[in-house]
Structure formats: structure tokens, C-alpha cells
Amino acid sequence: MTITLLPRHIAIVMDGNGRWAKNKGRPRIAGHRRGVESVRNIVDFCGQRGIEYLTLFAFSSENWRRPRSEVDFLMELLVSTLENEVQKLHANGVQLKIIGDLDSFGARIQKLVAHAQSLTFDNKKLTLTVAINYGGRWDVAEAARALAAKIASGDLLVADITEQLVAEAMSTAGIPDPDLFIRTGGETRISNFLLWQLAYTELYFTDVLWPDFDEIQLDLALSSFAGRQRRFGRTGEQIL
Ligand code: IPE
Ligand code: IPE
Ligand code: MG
């Protein structure tokens, strides 16, 4: 398939692991394990395709509400995935960024994250951002807090706050807004993902469950994107 207009940045809500497992009569964690394989494939594929930024929602600030055993499993999976994949990502020129409230994680995860980020910092092929304990409202509140602190210390005037400054105070500073948002698993909601950043993103929803989301499925999303006219408030005639 030749795809003409590629998104620079794709953001994905990877949903449907639990239902994938349930459909197969297996425990939910089997779905999460398979979900990691989809992550691997999609990261490779985005690299091959020349996508510059990929942002994945791996664990939301609301996912703590799940049964303790599932949360524990997801944390272990996160640690083992970081441990096992970082070298390969580095070899493939991927820069890894982790966004989300890391304060609630133990020293082991924080150390792994810091190591992965510094190791891959100069890589240019693809920027892979993984959101863990992330919430869009948390991100906005953090930005507000950071700007308020600058005002309190006299480094910023209230009148000088701009959209640009807010964007630079968010966890995604330096990363362009997503061009394409994908949610697998059939739900048509944002679930507190990148609220500020998705303002003008093209939205794509598919019933395919995340463990089944492969290159063919990504190509379908890419061709849907390529067929859209992004008007950003202008008329269609202005765009043509
Ligand atoms: C997404 O799959 C993975 C995480 C939220 C960690 P789910 O676990 O939400 O799968 P479903 O929605 O129950 O099928
Ligand atoms: C969203 O999926 C979060 C992640 C994919 C990490 P959920 O399955 O938690 O979303 P809701 O709660 O059904 O909206
Ligand atoms: Mg879900």
C-alpha cells in the first residue's frame, strides 16, 4: 500500500487486552503479555514507515482502580519490558521518553526510566513516548503548577502566559501535537489521555483489540488519515 500523507506523530490508546484474553478463555494478564508483542511490532513498523513520534498510553492514572493482582502484574510487565527492550530500541535509533506521574513508583522503576531516557537521549530515528500513571488533567495541572511557581518567584508575568508557554510546561514539551490518534478495542473515548495535545488531532477508532493490532491495521489507520482534509478552521477551498 502506498500512503501519501503520513502523520508525523501517532498517539495510541492501546485498549482491549483483557477482552482479547477473555475471548480466548485466558486470564486478562495473558492479553497484556500479548499486548507487549503488538507494541514491539508497531514500534518497528513506525520506524520503518518514517513516523517521527509515537506516543503510547500504557497505564492511566485511573488504572490503579483495577484489582491489585492485575496492577502488580502490569508493573512487573513494565519493568521487564523496560529491562529487555531498551538495548534493542537504542540499537534501532529510538529515543525513549516516559511521561506521567512517576512519584508514585518505587526506586527500581524510577532508576530504569532514568537510565533508558539518558541512554537513548540522542537517538533521532523515532521518539517513542510511553505514558504511565498518566492523566491528561494531571498534565494540565502540572503545567499550571509550574507556571504558577515561575510567577511566584518573579520569573514570569501573568500577562505573559501564552498557549506556547503552557505547551512548553506540559510533559510533552518539545514534541509536536499528535496528527493521528488511534484507539483500539472499540470504545470511542479519550479516557483522560493527552487532552491539551489532541485539540486538532485526527481521531481513528477501531474495534480491533490491541493484541490483534498489526501492520495491516496500522496501514488502515494511515490510509484513513491520508484521506482526511485537515482544515484547522479554514474552508475546504482555502486548503485546495
Ligand atoms: C488496555 O487493555 C491495557 C491497559 C489499560 C493497561 P485493557 O486491560 O483495558 O483491556 P479491556 O478493555 O479490559 O479489554
Ligand atoms: C485506557 O484504557 C488506558 C490505557 C490504554 C492505558 P482503559 O481500558 O483503562 O479505559 P477506560 O477506563 O475503559 O475508559
Ligand atoms: Mg480497557
Side-chain angles (χ1 to χ4, degrees), residues 78-118:
L78 179 70
V79 168
S80 61
T81 305
L82 275 175
E83 283 173 345
N84 298 331
E85 304 291 329
V86 167
Q87 286 301 335
K88 200 188 115 198
L89 291 172
H90 184 47
N92 289 340
V94 176
Q95 181 185 3
L96 185 65
K97 280 176 175 281
I98 305 290
I99 57 169
D101 187 357
L102 295 183
D103 290 346
S104 38
F105 294 106
R108 184 164 164 232
I109 292 189
Q110 294 198 13
K111 240 177 108 181
L112 267 173
V113 166
H115 168 74
Q117 292 190 142
S118 63

Side-chain angles (χ1 to χ4, degrees), residues 11 20-21 68 105 107 111-112 127 132 140 157 160 167-168 174 193 210 224:
W20 180 91
R68 175 73 192 269
F105 294 106
K111 240 177 108 181
L112 267 173
T127 300
I132 52 175
V140 173
L157 294 174
D160 289 343
E168 284 166 11
F193 196 26
W210 178 248
S224 168

Side-chain angles (χ1 to χ4, degrees), residues 54-74:
L54 175 65
T55 301
L56 302 176
F57 204 4
F59 192 88
S60 75
S61 42
E62 289 73 33
N63 286 145
W64 297 107
R65 297 174 184 157
R66 294 190 177 201
R68 175 73 192 269
S69 58
E70 182 169 341
V71 170
D72 286 349
F73 179 84
L74 285 169

